[in-house]
Amino acid sequence: MLSRRKAARGPLQSLRLRLTAVCTLLTALVLGAALWAGWSMARRQYRESADALLAGSLSGLLEKLETTGCISDRFLAELETQGQTVACLWDNGRPLQFAGVWQPATPREKLAQRALTAAGGEGIWYNVVSGRRWQIPLAVRGAAGESYTGYAARPARPDGVLVLLLQDTAVHRRALAALAGRYLGLGLGGVCALALAGWVLAGLAIRPTAEGLARQQEFVAAASHELRTPLAAVDASLSAAGLCPDECGRFLQAAQRETRRMARLVDDLLLLAGSDAGAWQLRPARLLPEEVCRRAYEQFLPLAAAADRRLVLRLPPAPAPEIFGDEERLVQLLGVLLANALEYAPPGSAVELALETHGAQAALLVRDHGPGIPDSEKPRVFDRFYRSERSRANRAHFGLGLAVAAELCRLHGGRLYVRDTPGEGGKPRGATFVLELPGAP
């Protein structure tokens, strides 16, 4: 069984991988689009924030000049440290003697000249117009290939002062690279999580298929095994009939018995295959459960007498609620349970077919007083090809009858289970199969 399950798992694993890949790809595209939109928005907001921060630093510098008329080296040092900026001031064309707290790749004097050229030379103006400050934005390329952004402006007072504030764009590139790394890490982590979730969901999606394929392979293997025995017996009987003409009749009878046995097996296999394929068609109608029980009782009464068993029908005194189902299929279901009970009931004992009511439900019971079914085997008696240890030597049974009954019960929306038949002193003595059917709507 394990090898058959592994064989069924091979193509399904490939299908699971493909489903996981498709699921991961589709969800990764959606996640990638969302992250790209978020990254674009975050980058734009960062640039706007950085530009606003630089403009705010310039405004603070200008306000300091306009209110005090002077600026200290300490103030400029703090300004450069906070934003990695280069601050340059001129008073009537003379540069302010401020060495700065850091040295850019391009010397400050050369960088300042390039910035003045980009700003238009000494004609830079600044003034307060309607309460708004105006300054000229700059984009400067250094001698070492580095780039800067900034502003050049003149305060309203004192006259003749020129202010230049530049910021190395490498600061922004590093910050944006770190931000991109976080988004990339989030994307990779999301893809891994999506792949894992896709693998789990694909496994859940193909689980019914895997279980169905495994059951199908087990069914075919078990059917092949069961068919092999009667075929071998038929072949041996026919061969013996040819070799021993005097006993030909006996060997032909044995071959005929095995042929009938094989025919019953094929009928059961066809029934179960039709159920698996959804080919069973019910003709449901409103039924009286008493009539269903009487039909099954009358059908099996001569069989019980021939097998030296007593078949007893027990019906409630009050009418039972109507049920909704296919009468022929329900009689067939009861026939399986009665045949099973007649087989295992001791000679001379009684097999009971009883009807009970539980509210709007009807319960049909088949009760025998045979050896019973151990509790460890009760959950498996309805499995296909399952036979208890005590019935394996009986070649008349294939372990399909109760499986057929379970399928018929499922089609009717009922419940079929087995319990012990109470004997003397409350001890179990036999098995009772209970078929519960819902009342008619």
Side-chain angles (χ1 to χ4, degrees):
M1 181 184 298
L2 184 60
S3 62
R4 289 195 293 270
R5 289 185 179 274
K6 289 183 177 179
R9 194 177 297 134
L12 291 176
Q13 286 294 94
S14 177
L15 175 61
R16 186 178 183 181
L17 286 173
R18 290 195 296 270
L19 288 175
T20 302
V22 171
C23 179
T24 303
L25 178 61
L26 294 178
T27 52
L29 289 176
V30 176
L31 177 63
L35 289 176
W36 177 258
W39 153 250
S40 300
M41 184 179 300
R43 180 177 57 181
R44 184 175 65 252
Q45 291 177 347
Y46 173 83
R47 288 177 174 175
E48 292 175 353
S49 176
D51 187 69
L53 184 61
L54 184 61
S57 298
L58 177 62
S59 297
L61 179 58
L62 295 175
E63 288 178 1
K64 183 74 170 176
L65 287 170
E66 290 172 351
T67 55
T68 64
C70 62
I71 201 76
S72 64
D73 289 352
R74 180 178 178 181
F75 181 86
L76 293 176
E78 291 177 353
L79 186 66
E80 287 195 353
T81 302
Q82 291 174 358
Q84 195 69 15
T85 56
V86 176
C88 299
L89 282 80
W90 290 265
D91 186 3
N92 293 319
R94 295 191 303 274
L96 183 68
Q97 298 301 319
F98 174 64
V101 297
W102 69 284
Q103 291 299 323
T106 302
R108 286 175 173 259
E109 295 78 8
K110 185 179 294 187
L111 185 61
Q113 290 301 322
R114 292 191 177 208
L116 289 175
T117 301
E122 295 292 334
I124 299 172
W125 61 273
Y126 173 88
N127 210 329
V128 178
V129 180
S130 303
R132 297 179 58 192
R133 286 188 169 83
W134 295 86
Q135 54 267 349
I136 297 177
L138 301 175
V140 183
R141 172 91 41 192
E146 77 276 21
S147 61
Y148 300 85
T149 58
Y151 295 97
R154 290 184 183 277
R157 49 182 297 273
D159 296 335
V161 175
L162 174 62
V163 176
L164 180 66
L165 193 62
L166 299 176
Q167 188 173 47
D168 191 347
T169 56
V171 176
H172 304 316
R173 288 196 300 271
R174 287 192 296 269
L176 290 175
L179 183 62
R182 288 194 290 271
Y183 271 87
L184 181 61
L186 182 61
L188 292 176
V191 169
C192 293
L194 290 172
L196 179 60
W199 176 261
V200 174
L201 291 176
L204 294 175
I206 67 172
R207 179 180 295 175
T209 304
E211 293 175 351
L213 184 59
R215 285 196 302 269
Q216 182 185 31
Q217 292 180 343
E218 293 171 5
F219 181 78
V220 171
S224 301
H225 174 75
E226 294 292 344
L227 284 170
R228 191 179 297 115
T229 301
L231 285 173
V234 170
D235 181 68
S237 297
L238 293 177
S239 298
L243 295 174
C244 304
D246 295 340
E247 299 185 18
C248 180
R250 182 168 63 87
F251 289 123
L252 289 179
Q253 288 179 357
Q256 188 178 36
R257 285 196 302 270
E258 292 299 325
T259 302
R260 291 173 179 171
R261 178 172 175 265
M262 187 166 52
R264 292 196 303 272
L265 171 61
V266 172
D267 288 340
D268 288 342
L269 290 174
L270 290 176
L271 281 172
L272 291 174
S275 173
D276 292 340
W280 279 6
Q281 294 182 354
L282 298 182
R283 296 179 176 86
R286 299 177 72 91
L287 304 173
L288 293 174
E290 295 94 333
E291 294 300 323
V292 176
C293 290
R294 287 192 183 96
R295 279 197 56 186
Y297 171 76
E298 293 170 358
Q299 179 179 333
F300 274 82
L301 188 60
L303 297 177
D308 191 22
R309 273 76 167 173
R310 291 182 295 108
L311 186 59
V312 179
L313 177 63
R314 300 187 186 279
L315 299 177
E322 289 185 332
I323 57 177
F324 192 71
D326 187 322
E327 185 174 4
E328 295 298 326
R329 292 296 189 184
L330 288 175
V331 171
Q332 180 185 5
L333 195 163
L334 288 177
V336 171
L337 301 180
L338 287 170
N340 184 77
L342 291 174
E343 179 65 32
Y344 293 108
S349 65
V351 172
E352 300 175 15
L353 173 59
L355 173 63
E356 298 178 357
T357 58
H358 304 287
Q361 283 190 333
L364 287 68
L365 292 79
V366 175
R367 184 182 296 117
D368 67 66
H369 300 278
I373 301 175
D375 292 340
S376 60
E377 296 184 6
K378 284 187 177 67
R380 300 187 58 192
V381 294
F382 299 105
D383 293 347
R384 299 177 183 184
F385 294 106
Y386 178 76
R387 287 180 292 182
S388 62
E389 293 296 333
R390 57 184 170 80
S391 64
R392 292 188 186 276
N394 190 344
R395 296 176 57 209
H397 294 279
F398 303 99
L400 290 178
L402 292 178
V404 172
E407 290 294 327
L408 289 170
C409 176
R410 182 185 61 83
L411 289 176
H412 284 84
R415 179 177 175 233
L416 178 62
Y417 60 95
V418 61
R419 68 191 185 195
D420 293 329
T421 299
E424 295 180 1
K427 295 182 179 180
R429 182 59 179 169
T432 300
F433 286 85
V434 183
L435 172 63
E436 294 181 350
L437 296 172

